[in-house]
């Protein structure tokens, strides 16, 4: 057996509670092999990469094909090196740099390859470029779920033919990928390596055979597990699309046993919750809800807020993008457009000084806040800390409410539907938690 050379590694050692098995030992070996060449952002990310690689060898067993989104803020963060490692360890790698969507879906069969897409920022990096590659985005979206073929007319008879799209894919690029892809992905946010973080140089002559030997042993173990994997329904710590995406990884961990079932669920919960915290930065329609909730909290959580007061709060935040929306920032019209999908509209409202102005009711936002951006502690704390202050002009309670209601109690944080599990703290440099 090829021995794993020395280098960074952090697999748990066998214990009485988690006896080592063949599968757990192979995943530990694969994890250490990945860590030799790249520095993932966290131990959980390293566990996720390991399980994703293993899951590619059982693709016919899965109902969903999770994407591995390898993103970074700049170049030289290890994205391409990670793709090099994936190329030598995943099942039947298919490099798609400069490949057309037609060539890709014609290469996918009932025994699908593993798609590896590098330099995705050249495909989706700007709105104009992304529009030209809409077919590629559609292919990557459709291929996340089984039985989502693409139909093309082929041959002299122009006969419609269905081509399968189902295949696992790793996609690397600078900056976030389109939201529809990120939503179907295990997200690995790579960073520039510190001088103190050691990795081995990647040498094709010596390292490719080493990684391919690891892949061969992994395939030998997983091959006979296909039927068991097809019947496995693992208990998931997340729900909905996140559960669909992570289920193959958790299933592989359950097949391996040892410490891996717990480590997989810890990685799933931690990384999913971390991405929930990033969602409002990826989409303006989510970000606007978060910032409006903060604006209400800073103004004492009034029942009503005038449109001009809300716009001033949004446009005056130097860390928010709204002041960049045109010469005067976000306007009432643009705000209405962002909120239209949530069926939230401004209307003539009566404020405490017996005047009517266009504005928004806080109650109209409650359902959207609960569904799309459950309140973080910072927002709840801000809300509870300002209730005793007098509301500013334009953000008052209505006059009738002021007469009929006592002062509101301090706000308490509520968890809305889909808020997920609490975020587990990250401790840099530590191994996987049990």
């Amino acid at each position: 057996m090829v021995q794993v050379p020395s280098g960074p590694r952090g697999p748990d050692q066998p214990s009485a509670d988690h006896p080592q098995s063949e599968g757990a030992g192979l995943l530990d070996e694969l994890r250490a092999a990945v860590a030799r060449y790249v520095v993932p952002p966290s131990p959980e990310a390293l566990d996720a990469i390991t399980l994703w690689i293993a899951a590619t060898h059982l693709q016919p067993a899965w109902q969903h094909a999770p994407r591995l989104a390898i993103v970074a803020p700049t170049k030289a963060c290890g994205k391409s090196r990670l793709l090099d490692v994936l190329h030598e360890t995943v099942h039947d790698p298919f490099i798609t740099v400069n490949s057309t969507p037609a060539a890709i879906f014609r290469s996918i069969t009932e025994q699908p390859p593993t798609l590896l897409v590098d330099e995705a920022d050249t495909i989706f990096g700007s709105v104009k470029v992304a529009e030209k590659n809409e077919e590629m985005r559609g292919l990557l979206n459709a291929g996340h779920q089984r039985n989502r073929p693409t139909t093309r007319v082929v041959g002299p008879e122009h006969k419609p033919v269905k081509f399968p799209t189902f295949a696992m894919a790793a996609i690397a690029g600078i900056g976030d990928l389109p939201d529809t892809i990120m939503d179907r992905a295990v997200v690995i946010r790579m960073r520039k390596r510190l001088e103190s973080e050691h990795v081995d140089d990647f040498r094709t002559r010596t390292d490719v055979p080493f990684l391919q030997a690891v892949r061969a042993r992994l395939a030998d173990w997983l091959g006979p597990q296909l039927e068991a994997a097809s019947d496995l329904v693992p208990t998931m710590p997340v729900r909905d699309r996140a559960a669909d995406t992570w289920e193959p990884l958790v299933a592989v961990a359950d097949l391996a046993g040892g410490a891996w079932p717990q480590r997989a669920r810890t990685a799933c919960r931690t990384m999913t919750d971390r991405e929930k915290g990033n969602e409002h930065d990826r989409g303006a329609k989510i970000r606007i809800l978060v910032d409006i909730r903060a604006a209400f909290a800073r103004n004492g959580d009034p029942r009503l807020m005038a449109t001009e007061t809300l716009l001033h709060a949004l446009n005056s935040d130097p860390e928010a993008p709204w002041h960049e929306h045109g010469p005067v920032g976000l306007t009432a019209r643009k705000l209405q457009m962002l909120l239209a999908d949530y069926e939230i509209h401004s209307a003539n409202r009566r404020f405490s000084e017996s005047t009517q102005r266009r504005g928004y009711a806080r109650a109209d936002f409650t359902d959207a806040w609960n569904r799309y951006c459950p309140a973080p502690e910072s927002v709840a704390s801000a809300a509870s800390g300002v209730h005793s202050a007098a509301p500013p002009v334009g953000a008052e309670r209505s006059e009738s409410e002021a007469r009929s209601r006592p002062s509101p109690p301090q706000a308490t944080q509520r968890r809305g539907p889909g808020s997920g599990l609490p975020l587990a703290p990250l401790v840099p440099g530590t191994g996987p938690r049990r």
Side-chain angles (χ1 to χ4, degrees):
M1 176 179 290
V2 177
Q3 297 296 319
V4 179
S6 61
R9 60 179 296 160
D12 288 352
Q13 297 299 319
S15 68
D17 294 335
H18 301 290
Q20 190 76 320
S21 65
E22 178 189 8
L26 285 170
L27 290 183
D28 285 349
E29 184 179 356
L30 175 61
R31 185 184 193 275
V34 174
R36 287 185 55 188
Y37 306 104
V38 296
V39 180
S42 68
E44 292 81 11
L46 182 54
D47 288 340
I49 294 168
T50 302
L51 292 167
W52 188 89
I53 292 172
T56 66
H57 293 270
L58 289 172
Q59 292 191 61
W62 313 131
Q63 292 301 310
H64 293 85
R67 279 69 185 100
L68 191 71
I70 307 167
V71 297
T74 65
K75 61 181 181 179
C77 290
K79 303 182 304 299
S80 295
R81 178 63 71 237
L82 179 52
L83 279 183
D84 290 337
V85 174
L86 294 179
H87 186 271
E88 307 307 329
T89 52
V90 301
H91 166 73
D92 191 13
F94 183 98
I95 292 287
T96 63
V97 175
N98 296 326
S99 298
T100 65
I104 295 173
F105 65 67
R106 282 173 169 80
S107 301
I108 297 174
T109 65
E110 293 302 319
Q111 296 290 330
T114 304
L115 307 180
L116 303 177
V117 184
D118 199 2
E119 299 182 0
D121 46 291
T122 64
I123 303 174
F124 307 116
S126 68
V127 174
K128 187 174 182 179
V129 171
E131 287 178 352
K132 295 180 180 179
N133 293 285
E134 185 65 20
E135 190 175 11
M136 175 66 82
R137 186 177 72 89
L139 173 62
L140 292 172
N141 288 344
H144 177 259
Q145 187 171 345
R146 192 174 291 281
N147 299 323
R148 296 292 186 273
T150 182
T151 303
R152 292 293 184 273
V153 175
V154 298
E157 298 179 356
H158 301 287
K159 181 180 179 180
V161 176
K162 292 183 178 180
F163 294 91
T165 61
F166 182 83
M168 291 178 66
I171 311 157
I174 296 175
D176 279 5
L177 304 172
D179 289 352
T180 54
I181 296 177
M182 296 288 281
D183 194 40
R184 294 166 168 83
V186 175
V187 181
I188 309 297
R189 295 189 176 275
M190 300 294 288
R191 304 171 299 182
K192 275 202 171 185
R193 179 167 52 88
L194 299 174
E195 291 294 331
S196 59
E197 294 175 324
H198 169 77
V199 294
D200 290 356
D201 292 333
F202 190 88
R203 296 289 181 261
T204 301
R205 183 173 60 85
T206 57
D207 295 307
V208 167
F210 160 65
L211 290 172
Q212 289 180 348
V214 175
R215 173 169 63 192
R217 291 192 296 279
L218 189 67
D220 288 343
W221 166 60
L222 288 170
Q225 306 283 345
L226 181 60
E227 185 175 350
S230 300
D231 296 335
L232 195 60
V233 183
T235 302
M236 299 298 297
V238 294
R239 301 178 63 184
D240 302 326
R241 181 164 284 164
D244 295 338
T245 296
W246 277 86
E247 185 174 290
L249 281 67
V250 175
V252 167
D254 286 351
L255 290 172
W260 279 97
Q262 180 59 41
R263 289 163 63 169
R265 288 168 173 83
T266 297
C268 173
R269 182 175 60 250
T270 301
M271 295 176 68
T272 300
D273 282 348
R274 188 179 301 138
E275 286 307 304
K276 285 181 179 177
N278 293 328
E279 282 181 357
H280 69 275
D281 291 326
R282 292 207 299 265
K285 290 187 177 182
I286 297 295
R287 177 68 186 262
I288 194 66
L289 290 177
V290 175
D291 288 355
I292 289 175
R293 182 177 56 194
F296 269 90
R298 288 196 302 269
N299 285 279
D301 275 332
R303 186 179 71 89
L304 301 174
M305 183 176 288
T307 300
E308 62 267 25
T309 303
L310 180 57
L311 289 172
H312 179 267
L314 296 171
N315 289 323
S316 62
D317 185 351
E319 296 185 358
W322 312 118
H323 62 277
E324 300 173 356
H325 281 233
V328 296
L330 193 65
T331 64
R333 173 62 179 163
K334 292 178 181 178
L335 179 60
Q336 283 272 252
M337 293 172 64
L338 287 171
L339 296 175
D341 287 345
Y342 304 113
E343 299 183 3
I344 300 173
H345 308 284
S346 66
N348 286 323
R349 314 282 184 178
R350 183 174 295 279
F351 291 83
S352 58
E353 65 271 24
S354 299
T355 59
Q356 286 191 350
R357 280 174 290 170
R358 301 288 296 184
Y360 291 87
R362 188 182 190 281
D364 292 341
F365 290 94
T366 303
D367 183 70
W369 287 339
N370 287 339
R371 292 181 184 277
Y372 298 100
C373 49
E377 290 183 8
S378 58
V379 174
S381 301
S384 61
V386 296
H387 273 305
S388 59
V393 175
E396 303 89 345
R397 292 190 301 255
S398 68
E399 187 175 5
S400 59
E401 183 193 28
R403 288 195 301 265
S404 61
R405 287 190 173 186
S407 298
Q410 286 194 337
T412 57
Q413 182 180 358
R414 295 189 298 173
R415 298 176 65 84
S419 57
L421 299 172
L423 179 64
L426 287 177
V427 182
T430 61
R433 294 182 290 276
R434 284 179 176 151

